[in-house]
Amino acid sequence: CRFVDTIVVRQGLIPNGFISPADTLVLCDTATAIIQITKASGNSNIADILWSGGSGNNTVVIIDLSTIRVSAAGRYWATLISPDGCTAVTDTVTVVKGIIPVGSLSPSDTLSLCDTSTALISVQGTNIATTVWSGGTLLNPTTIRVTTPGKYWATIISAEGCTSVTD
């Protein structure tokens, strides 16, 4: 008596997708960021996604199979699983905490322009890398000259890209 057993072997397809954004994400203050898997064009062959990374509990909220919301600095990636059980690991997204710049205008009181006079307004503060003024003539990155009445403010930006607006 002879027993013959057969097995069928078929080629599984590797899941095809990529993580986005592909760059480093900056979380400013208490902000959260969205990371998602974008299926490649054509047959992406993704049946399941296992998310990894972060730093402890409550740092990742799964929005749907392909999207998470993160609230902590860390490295995040995903394992893509095809219907055949084949896997592929995505690139890693690095999330860093940024610092909100703090600034105020000087002088801090209301100014009066008399006849043809001008006034200088400066911004001072901490963690300021760039200043974008609402108007006036730029004398240097932190000072403008104003010749017309109005309200002036500065949007200040940290090196990480976090922003705030002066009063």
Side-chain angles (χ1 to χ4, degrees):
C1 180
R2 195 172 104 177
F3 177 75
V4 177
D5 193 10
T6 62
I7 187 168
V8 175
V9 177
R10 60 186 173 107
Q11 180 68 47
L13 297 174
I14 300 294
N16 191 3
F18 56 92
I19 198 164
S20 64
D23 297 332
T24 297
L25 285 170
V26 177
L27 293 179
C28 296
D29 202 20
T30 59
T32 60
I34 299 294
I35 301 173
Q36 64 187 58
I37 299 299
T38 303
K39 294 179 179 180
S41 60
N43 183 6
S44 63
N45 205 37
I46 299 173
D48 200 5
I49 299 172
L50 300 176
W51 290 97
S52 299
S55 57
N57 294 333
N58 303 321
T59 61
V60 175
V61 174
I62 297 174
I63 296 174
D64 59 38
L65 178 66
S66 63
T67 308
I68 60 173
R69 177 182 294 119
V70 300
S71 61
R75 295 166 39 103
Y76 298 87
W77 66 94
T79 301
L80 311 178
I81 304 168
S82 74
D84 302 321
C86 298
T87 62
V89 177
T90 66
D91 290 336
T92 299
V93 172
T94 301
V95 177
V96 297
K97 277 284 196 188
I99 300 172
I100 300 286
V102 177
S104 60
L105 297 181
S106 176
S108 59
D109 296 331
T110 300
L111 298 173
S112 294
L113 293 175
C114 300
D115 296 331
T116 60
S117 68
T118 64
L120 299 180
I121 302 173
S122 297
V123 66
Q124 301 158 351
T126 57
N127 201 37
I128 300 172
T130 306
T131 304
V132 179
W133 289 94
S134 62
T137 302
L138 188 65
L139 297 181
N140 61 54
T142 61
T143 306
I144 58 171
R145 175 181 293 133
V146 296
T147 57
T148 56
K151 182 173 180 166
Y152 296 89
W153 65 90
T155 300
I156 50 179
I157 306 165
S158 71
E160 301 91 5
C162 300
T163 63
S164 66
V165 178
T166 61
D167 290 334

